[in-house]
Amino acid sequence: MRFFFVFLVLLQGLFLAALGFLPTDKIPYHENLPQDKILHSSGFFILTFLTFFIWDRPRRLHNVLLTAVPIGVLAFASEILQPVLSPTRAYDSHDIVANVIGTVIGLLLATVVDHLREHRYSRREVQYEALEMA
């Protein structure tokens, strides 16, 4: 477990919780560019990306599952519980869609970055092995 990423995930979670309790009249909204949906997508994108790098499992599939399942549950539960916990907020199914889109994009980018990082380190090890043989 990488504790620096745990710290970053906790900070992002607190930030998202604070936004979740912010009264809706404080969030700008425009018909052509709904900023609240952008906030949902980007917030869950960052949360998913950071959560992926908490896990240090040898197989990438384990990291994907350990990230996707809890973040996916959070994406749904946060919208369902929001009207219960905050009287100024209402349930919106479009928010769940925005959460899921941010989660999927974050997970895809995290797997690509992890693959590139792994590829870079494996090339470096081959170079060191070649130097040791010489």
Side-chain angles (χ1 to χ4, degrees), residues 100-115:
V100 170
I101 288 171
T103 300
V104 168
I105 293 171
L107 200 55
L108 288 173
L109 184 63
T111 56
V112 168
V113 167
D114 189 51
H115 175 74

Side-chain angles (χ1 to χ4, degrees), residues 3-45:
F3 291 104
F4 178 70
F5 285 101
V6 171
F7 174 72
L8 293 177
V9 166
L10 289 174
L11 282 179
Q12 178 67 10
L14 288 172
F15 178 69
L16 290 177
L19 285 177
F21 288 109
L22 192 66
T24 53
D25 60 342
K26 302 285 186 198
I27 300 173
Y29 186 84
H30 189 273
E31 294 296 324
N32 297 328
L33 183 65
Q35 285 90 344
D36 68 322
K37 303 308 180 246
I38 293 170
L39 281 172
H40 280 271
S41 292
S42 61
F44 272 85
F45 164 78

Side-chain angles (χ1 to χ4, degrees), residues 41-131:
S41 292
S42 61
F44 272 85
F45 164 78
I46 293 168
L47 185 66
T48 303
F49 185 83
L50 294 173
T51 303
F52 181 87
F53 291 104
I54 287 175
W55 316 114
D56 197 15
R57 301 284 185 201
R59 296 187 62 205
R60 193 171 294 119
L61 178 62
H62 292 140
N63 294 344
V64 169
L65 291 175
L66 286 170
T67 301
V69 172
I71 300 295
V73 169
L74 182 64
F76 287 99
S78 66
E79 286 306 314
I80 292 170
L81 292 175
Q82 201 172 34
V84 174
L85 299 174
S86 177
T88 62
R89 301 302 294 250
Y91 170 81
D92 185 1
S93 61
H94 294 105
D95 288 348
I96 293 176
V97 172
N99 293 350
V100 170
I101 288 171
T103 300
V104 168
I105 293 171
L107 200 55
L108 288 173
L109 184 63
T111 56
V112 168
V113 167
D114 189 51
H115 175 74
L116 292 174
R117 182 184 60 87
E118 187 177 272
H119 181 69
R120 187 179 86 198
Y121 285 123
S122 67
R123 272 193 317 178
R124 205 176 275 171
E125 287 177 9
V126 169
Q127 288 174 343
Y128 288 141
E129 288 174 7
L131 288 174

